[in-house]
Amino acid sequence: QVQLVESGGGLVQAGGSLRLSCAASGRIFNVPTMGWFRQAPGKERDFVAAVNWSGLNTHYANSVKGRFTISRDNAAKNTVYLQMTSLIPEDTAVYYCALDYGSFVSERAVDYDYWGQGTQVTVSS
């Protein structure tokens, strides 16, 4: 079993910043791709960002490019971060960390094998 635990969510004003963290534990094999998705009320779960095993290959949704940065801890490769800056009210959602054992970085939720419980991010205008 694999457990993913997110932290760092909260309430922030528009233009502010937050840093989300996700720690993976349990029976983890190799160094998997890790990603962030988000889901606003009444909407589907959308891709936000993902990073491969080395941390050198990153993907971002167009809506967050230039504002969000995904990274992983090289000393603990199963810890991933999402630095969010210039936040806007449209970024309000529950943010989920996910782990994927696939061989390439995917932006599709169906490709991810394990999910965290999510952390709420609320951006006020």
Side-chain angles (χ1 to χ4, degrees):
Q1 275 292 60
V2 173
Q3 295 80 39
L4 301 176
V5 179
E6 303 99 335
S7 61
L11 173 64
V12 64
Q13 287 188 333
S17 301
L18 280 175
R19 187 194 196 207
L20 305 184
S21 300
C22 173
S25 61
R27 298 175 64 86
I28 299 171
F29 301 96
N30 300 320
V31 185
T33 291
M34 297 191 73
W36 288 96
F37 290 76
R38 66 187 182 186
Q39 188 167 17
K43 296 188 176 181
E44 294 185 349
R45 190 169 297 189
D46 292 330
F47 171 76
V48 176
V51 60
N52 76 330
W53 65 274
S54 69
L56 298 179
N57 183 9
T58 56
H59 290 209
Y60 295 94
N62 288 333
S63 59
V64 306
K65 279 182 182 177
R67 300 188 299 121
F68 291 11
T69 302
I70 189 170
S71 62
R72 65 192 306 161
D73 187 331
N74 288 334
K77 290 188 183 294
N78 296 324
T79 301
V80 65
Y81 306 97
L82 186 68
Q83 179 68 49
M84 305 185 294
T85 63
S86 300
L87 285 160
I88 58 178
E90 289 75 17
D91 294 319
T92 295
V94 177
Y95 283 70
Y96 296 92
C97 175
L99 182 152
D100 174 19
Y101 281 124
S103 58
F104 61 94
V105 178
S106 174
E107 299 181 6
R108 304 191 315 157
V110 294
D111 291 330
Y112 284 75
D113 302 291
Y114 296 95
W115 293 83
Q117 293 298 307
T119 184
Q120 176 70 46
V121 171
T122 303
V123 183
S124 63
S125 57

